[in-house]
Amino acid sequence: MADLTVTVDGRELAAEWTGENSEVRDALADALPVAGDATRWGDELYFSVSLGAAAESTRTEVPAGAVAYWPAGDVLCLFWGPTPASVGDEPRAAEDVAVVATVEDVTPLEDLDGGATVRVEER
């Protein structure tokens, strides 16, 4: 069963917490709901959040549907396809991010055009 709802310009997506980065996950859970006007970078959206949490495990290559925190920029990211940093079709962050959740089905994002308003809340 889904833990979160990620709404992207009216598209509701179900997401589940991962077992990674418990400190970041807990900080995000405490801050929910969070929302913002997201900037698009390839098939990634990101917006500012103030979590102030230390990431335990970071990486640049992430799965499609990854909801991740970029500590250096204090932003929350949603990946669903290639970005300008990608090699091939996999999603890839420009710098290390801490994955905290995964969207179950990213298909509704395939026709997204430009930036979007994103909201993350408990389900």
Side-chain angles (χ1 to χ4, degrees):
M1 176 155 208
D3 302 308
L4 304 166
T5 299
V6 179
T7 306
V8 179
D9 276 356
R11 300 165 173 92
E12 286 194 6
L13 311 168
E16 293 184 8
W17 295 116
T18 65
E20 300 175 64
N21 296 296
S22 60
E23 187 174 326
V24 175
R25 182 192 63 229
D26 291 348
L28 178 58
D30 289 345
L32 292 176
V34 295
D37 291 327
T39 301
R40 185 165 179 174
W41 190 62
D43 286 349
E44 173 194 353
L45 290 170
Y46 62 91
F47 65 97
S48 294
V49 294
S50 291
L51 298 183
E56 300 156 42
S57 169
T58 60
R59 54 190 161 147
T60 56
E61 191 172 326
V62 297
V67 177
Y69 175 64
W70 179 36
D74 215 16
V75 299
L76 196 63
C77 312
L78 170 60
F79 297 87
W80 70 94
T83 68
S86 294
V87 176
D89 291 335
E90 94 285 356
R92 187 179 296 257
E95 294 183 18
D96 286 345
V97 295
V99 176
V100 293
T102 305
V103 169
E104 297 169 2
D105 179 15
V106 296
T107 307
L109 299 175
E110 291 175 355
D111 68 346
L112 188 66
D113 186 29
T117 299
V118 177
R119 180 180 172 88
V120 180
E121 58 195 327
E122 288 182 299
R123 199 159 177 90

